[in-house]
């Protein structure tokens, strides 16, 4: 299994300059510890159906991280594509590509928070079609000159994004999600998402499902690829999850210690029982067992997200979790 981490770009209401500066410190340390990639989240408004916080600009934060790292990949995880125009986004990807010496990974999703869409003057029901149209436009803008494009939502003529960076490694997010009243998403992986994944290099399973949902989604994706003529082995299967490691072998004590950390990120809109079903909570041994179970089910990339910018948590991820798994030869 290949291990990556989330860059803690939380825009807490009480965020200070010193806390924001720790994005660089965290990125540098993750690079030194040998993690495969840094992933960044995107939500510019509090999304009460899932989170209790917001995040700073993902592309700006990755540019910040690029300046202090040399090896680690820089991944949007996940960029909500309908929030962008394909031409301006292509330029930002090109800029990050050159600033980072080609370490960009483009992770994308259609989004789900209706208030964010309304704030930007868009309809939530357009999210999937906009996402697919933007991907199609980006594939051309990043690989061709003098591009003209006529879609349902985006139209432009004779555009060149020089110097051409090439199309980056593409990851698509999505999948099953535990049902809540505050989110419109289905509890299963939608056919449109399966089709989008089929055109990608990797898939990132969402953290808001259960352990079994992630495993079921792996099988659904494999079956879809086989049915549509693509070798399932040609896709990387990944999963993102939040955790906070604690020093106890007692599950109930571990959960009590973890609860304020996970609820600071996720909010209290969902029950704590719901949170424990989705996120990597409990003793470290239990968390390692869950990851091993997902690896046996076909997950090859694990993105560990801390609940803050604590470097001790990052170091513990490396020693207490990554250290339990043999290194991935594809690093």
């Amino acid at each position: 299994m290949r291990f990556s981490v989330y860059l803690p770009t939380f825009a807490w209401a009480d965020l200070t300059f010193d806390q924001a500066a720790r994005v660089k410190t965290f990125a540098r340390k993750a690079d030194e510890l040998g993690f495969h990639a840094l992933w960044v989240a995107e939500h510019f408004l509090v999304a009460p159906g899932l989170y209790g916080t917001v995040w700073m600009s993902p592309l700006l934060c990755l540019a910040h991280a690029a300046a202090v790292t040399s090896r680690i990949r820089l991944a949007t995880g996940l960029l909500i594509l309908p929030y962008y125009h394909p031409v301006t986004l292509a330029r930002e990807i090109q800029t990050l590509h050159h600033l980072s010496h080609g370490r960009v990974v483009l992770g994308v999703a259609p989004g789900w928070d209706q208030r964010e869409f309304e704030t930007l003057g868009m309809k939530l029901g357009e999210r999937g079609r906009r996402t697919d149209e933007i991907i199609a436009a980006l594939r051309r803008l990043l690989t061709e000159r003098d591009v003209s494009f006529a879609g349902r939502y985006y139209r432009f003529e004779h555009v060149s994004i020089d110097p051409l960076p090439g199309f980056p490694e593409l990851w698509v997010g999505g999948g099953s999600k535990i049902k809540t009243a505050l989110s419109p998403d289905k509890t299963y992986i939608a056919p449109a998402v399966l089709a989008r994944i089929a055109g990608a290099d990797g898939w990132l399973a969402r953290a808001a499902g259960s352990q079994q949902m992630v495993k079921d989604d792996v099988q659904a994706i494999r079956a879809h690829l086989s049915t549509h003529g693509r070798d399932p082995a040609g896709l990387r299967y990944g999963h993102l999850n939040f955790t906070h490691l604690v020093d106890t072998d007692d599950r109930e004590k571990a959960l009590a210690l973890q609860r304020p950390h996970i609820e600071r990120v996720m909010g209290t809109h969902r029950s704590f029982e719901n949170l424990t079903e989705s996120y990597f909570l409990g003793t470290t041994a239990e968390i390692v067992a869950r990851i091993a179970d997902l690896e046996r089910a076909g997950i090859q990339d694990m993105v560990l997200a801390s609940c803050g910018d604590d470097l001790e948590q990052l170091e513990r991820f490396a020693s207490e979790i990554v250290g339990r798994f043999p290194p991935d030869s594809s690093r």
Side-chain angles (χ1 to χ4, degrees):
M1 181 172 283
R2 205 164 59 177
F3 285 88
S4 300
V5 289
Y6 239 23
L7 194 59
T9 59
F10 302 108
W12 307 115
D14 59 353
L15 182 70
T16 66
F17 290 145
D18 287 343
Q19 286 175 311
R22 289 179 69 81
V23 169
K24 287 193 296 187
T25 307
F26 195 97
R28 188 185 295 113
K29 189 65 176 179
D31 198 14
E32 292 172 357
L33 289 171
F35 286 99
H36 176 71
L38 285 167
W39 292 75
V40 288
E42 177 161 49
H43 269 292
F44 65 89
L45 298 176
V46 173
L50 191 57
Y51 298 119
T53 185
V54 294
W55 282 264
M56 292 184 282
S57 165
L59 292 168
L60 288 176
C61 287
L62 286 181
H64 205 52
V68 296
T69 58
S70 60
R71 178 203 55 81
I72 198 166
R73 305 296 298 277
L74 305 170
T76 57
L78 296 159
L79 204 67
I80 303 176
L81 279 191
Y83 296 172
Y84 298 84
H85 189 284
V87 174
T88 53
L89 179 57
R91 175 57 71 193
E92 293 188 16
I93 292 170
Q94 176 274 319
T95 301
L96 184 58
H97 171 82
H98 282 84
L99 290 177
S100 68
H101 296 271
R103 290 183 281 143
V104 177
V105 176
L106 181 61
V108 304
W112 63 270
D113 184 26
Q114 183 161 338
R115 183 163 174 255
E116 287 187 336
F117 276 83
E118 290 174 348
T119 300
L120 296 175
M122 291 185 290
K123 297 177 181 178
L124 184 66
E126 299 173 350
R127 57 181 175 158
R129 293 188 297 272
R130 283 183 179 271
T131 296
D132 293 333
E133 196 166 300
I134 293 172
I135 291 173
L138 287 175
R139 286 191 183 278
R140 296 193 58 201
L141 285 166
L142 298 174
T143 61
E144 304 173 25
R145 292 182 175 86
D146 194 30
V147 176
S148 295
F149 187 89
R152 179 173 180 176
Y153 302 103
Y154 308 98
R155 290 174 173 266
F156 50 85
E157 293 184 352
H158 306 299
V159 174
S160 295
I161 304 295
D162 284 320
L164 289 174
F167 193 70
E169 181 180 328
L170 177 67
W171 283 64
V172 168
S176 301
K177 179 178 179 181
I178 294 174
K179 181 66 176 176
T180 69
L182 296 171
S183 170
D185 284 351
K186 306 296 184 185
T187 57
Y188 54 86
I189 189 165
V193 176
L194 287 169
R196 196 172 300 126
I197 292 167
D201 300 297
W203 163 67
L204 192 65
R206 64 200 317 167
S210 67
Q211 183 89 352
Q212 189 60 48
M213 282 177 170
V214 176
K215 294 192 290 185
D216 290 345
D217 282 353
V218 171
Q219 294 307 311
I221 292 167
R222 288 184 178 279
H224 179 85
L225 295 180
S226 295
T227 301
H228 291 80
R230 180 176 176 184
D231 182 0
L235 184 79
R236 293 286 304 191
Y237 299 81
H239 178 49
L240 156 73
N241 213 307
F242 287 81
T243 189
H244 182 84
L245 302 184
V246 293
D247 293 317
T248 180
D249 293 327
D250 182 285
R251 175 173 172 79
E252 294 308 314
K253 184 177 179 181
L255 292 176
L257 291 170
Q258 291 163 336
R259 184 167 185 168
H261 296 279
I262 198 73
E263 287 186 341
R264 187 184 186 206
V265 176
M266 302 302 165
T268 56
H269 314 286
R270 292 174 284 170
S271 69
F272 188 61
E273 290 71 26
N274 179 292
L275 298 180
T276 59
E277 191 175 359
S278 293
Y279 303 108
F280 286 168
L281 302 177
T283 67
T284 301
E286 289 173 323
I287 293 166
V288 169
R290 281 187 66 173
I291 295 171
D293 179 52
L294 291 173
E295 183 180 40
R296 289 190 294 271
I299 294 295
Q300 302 158 301
D301 280 74
M302 181 60 60
V303 183
L304 298 171
S306 63
C307 296
D309 58 12
D310 186 353
L311 292 182
E312 181 186 357
Q313 283 291 308
L314 182 60
E315 292 168 346
R316 293 182 69 167
F317 287 175
S319 62
E320 299 176 30
I321 295 181
V322 181
R324 305 288 184 89
F325 294 83
D328 189 303
S329 60
S330 64
R331 290 180 69 86

